[in-house]
Amino acid sequence: MDEGTLELIRQAQQGDAPALAGLLREHYNFLFKYLIKATMDPSLAEELAQDTMVRAMEKIGNYNGTSAFSSWLITIATRLYIDRKRRWKRESEWLRRERGAAAIRWRFESRNMEWSDVLDALSRLPLPQRVAVLLKHYYGYSYEEIGSIMEVPSGTVKSRVSKGLQQLRKELKEDE
Amino acid sequence: MNNDAEDQKLLNKLSAELERLDAQYDDIPAPSLPAMQQFLAAEADRRRSQSRRELLLFLLAAILLLSIVLTVLGFAPAVYWVIQAVIPLAVLGGLAAVKVRQRREERGQ
């Protein structure tokens, strides 16, 4: 973490509102892009990004610097996403997923870019597997770190990643 | 082709596609600093008034419950002691049911 960010964190923890706003703004795009990939739903990603900002504002005093500030935000956002998902009913969950993937597909197509089979298959993975695959193979976290983000043992993360990749492989073979 | 090589190929493809997805949202602007400050201030205000409302509700409910308990204790001590046993049992039963449902859901995912 650079000195500027550390200074902003120190000021934010002492109750400096503009410093907190600056700090969160600095990380907004990173967080939003993580949430796009985790949820595959731009409007949900935006809602969760705002909720994460609010939760970070409430908990900034608890941030102890043992992980990067961006990892701390990813942890908050992932837990909020998991909590929210638990509250949804199965039917509306399917509809939401379809709508989310359609919004991303539209963004690709509106720029004359080809939509991807891999992303389509990724959007159909169950949340725990999708987030585990994403954090492991795109963000490069260890199984232990992902376990602490998702509040599950590292063995569970390992099996989710492996099942997720297996499912992706299977879907891509079916599409071929 | 063995599994490791297949996995590597899949992971390379996955990373490339996720980078392409990231690039689609490169032009999304972060909120301006004043907008972010305003959002956080409004949210802090909303939270404060919500906790005031919740505290007030809690106090009212506590006063109501306390008056009911005292009245029952004064007029029918036997009913009071039955309630003391039934309510904790019902709460424990409810908590156990919720835990079992959560486990089933997690297994289902």
Side-chain angles (χ1 to χ4, degrees):
Chain A
M1 246 183 303
D2 63 86
E3 198 46 48
T5 306
L6 283 174
E7 185 53 32
L8 276 179
I9 293 171
R10 267 195 294 273
Q11 288 170 358
Q13 286 180 323
Q14 283 159 11
D16 183 336
L20 177 65
L23 179 67
L24 295 178
R25 184 181 180 274
E26 200 177 277
H27 289 82
Y28 184 87
N29 277 357
F30 170 82
L31 178 69
F32 181 68
K33 283 181 173 184
Y34 163 68
L35 282 167
I36 285 276
K37 294 190 287 288
T39 63
M40 300 299 277
D41 180 345
S43 64
L44 177 60
E46 202 175 334
E47 278 173 39
L48 285 169
Q50 288 187 0
D51 289 353
T52 307
M53 298 281 131
V54 172
R55 189 60 63 87
M57 171 182 79
E58 290 168 352
K59 305 271 178 195
I60 186 72
N62 298 348
Y63 174 67
N64 57 15
T66 49
S67 60
F69 190 72
S70 53
S71 299
W72 187 64
L73 289 178
I74 280 189
T75 304
I76 295 177
T78 305
R79 290 181 187 172
L80 283 173
Y81 181 31
I82 292 170
D83 278 352
R84 189 179 282 222
K85 193 97 180 194
R86 275 192 190 130
R87 280 184 265 131
W88 287 341
K89 291 201 162 57
R90 281 179 190 280
E91 317 86 73
S92 62
E93 194 184 309
W94 180 83
L95 265 178
R96 257 186 172 271
R97 196 172 58 206
E98 286 303 301
R99 229 179 290 146
I104 297 181
R105 204 161 40 231
W106 178 84
R107 202 171 174 90
F108 271 81
E109 282 161 5
S110 67
R111 295 166 179 209
N112 287 327
M113 291 176 83
E114 203 184 326
W115 174 237
S116 140
D117 291 343
V118 183
L119 294 178
D120 208 28
L122 185 70
S123 78
R124 284 198 295 271
L125 283 189
L127 175 155
Q129 294 176 12
R130 185 168 62 239
V131 172
V133 168
L134 184 64
L135 290 175
K136 176 72 190 154
H137 290 295
Y138 191 72
Y139 287 94
Y141 286 102
S142 68
Y143 290 120
E144 285 71 25
E145 284 169 324
I146 302 171
S148 122
I149 288 173
M150 299 182 79
E151 298 180 295
V152 292
S154 57
T156 309
V157 177
K158 211 169 177 177
S159 108
R160 286 177 181 175
V161 170
S162 148
K163 274 189 193 157
L165 291 179
Q166 206 179 331
Q167 176 76 16
L168 282 179
R169 232 184 354 247
K170 194 175 143 208
E171 293 215 15
L172 292 171
K173 266 186 191 148
E174 277 169 13
D175 288 345
E176 273 171 11
Chain B
M1 203 187 298
N2 65 29
N3 255 359
D4 281 352
E6 259 186 50
D7 269 356
Q8 200 47 53
K9 200 175 149 197
L10 173 65
L11 290 176
N12 291 344
K13 201 170 171 191
L14 182 64
S15 290
E17 291 301 336
L18 285 170
E19 265 166 35
R20 218 157 67 89
L21 175 59
D22 253 356
Q24 298 300 306
Y25 292 89
D26 271 345
D27 54 355
I28 296 279
S32 68
L33 195 56
M36 183 63 95
Q37 267 178 277
Q38 207 180 348
F39 169 71
L40 292 178
E43 198 53 40
D45 262 0
R46 199 182 65 79
R47 296 268 154 151
R48 259 196 302 274
S49 57
Q50 192 183 355
S51 16
R52 263 202 301 271
R53 241 192 341 264
E54 279 168 4
L55 180 66
L56 193 67
L57 260 173
F58 171 76
L59 287 176
L60 285 175
I63 290 170
L64 183 72
L65 276 177
L66 197 62
S67 4
I68 292 172
V69 166
L70 289 177
T71 312
V72 172
L73 187 58
F75 288 97
V79 174
Y80 172 80
W81 290 113
V82 169
I83 291 173
Q84 287 295 309
V86 168
I87 291 180
L89 283 176
V91 170
L92 284 176
L95 284 177
V98 168
K99 202 87 189 153
V100 168
R101 207 178 51 211
Q102 268 180 0
R103 279 206 191 134
R104 270 193 205 143
E105 275 174 12
E106 276 169 12
R107 239 178 275 143
Q109 281 186 339

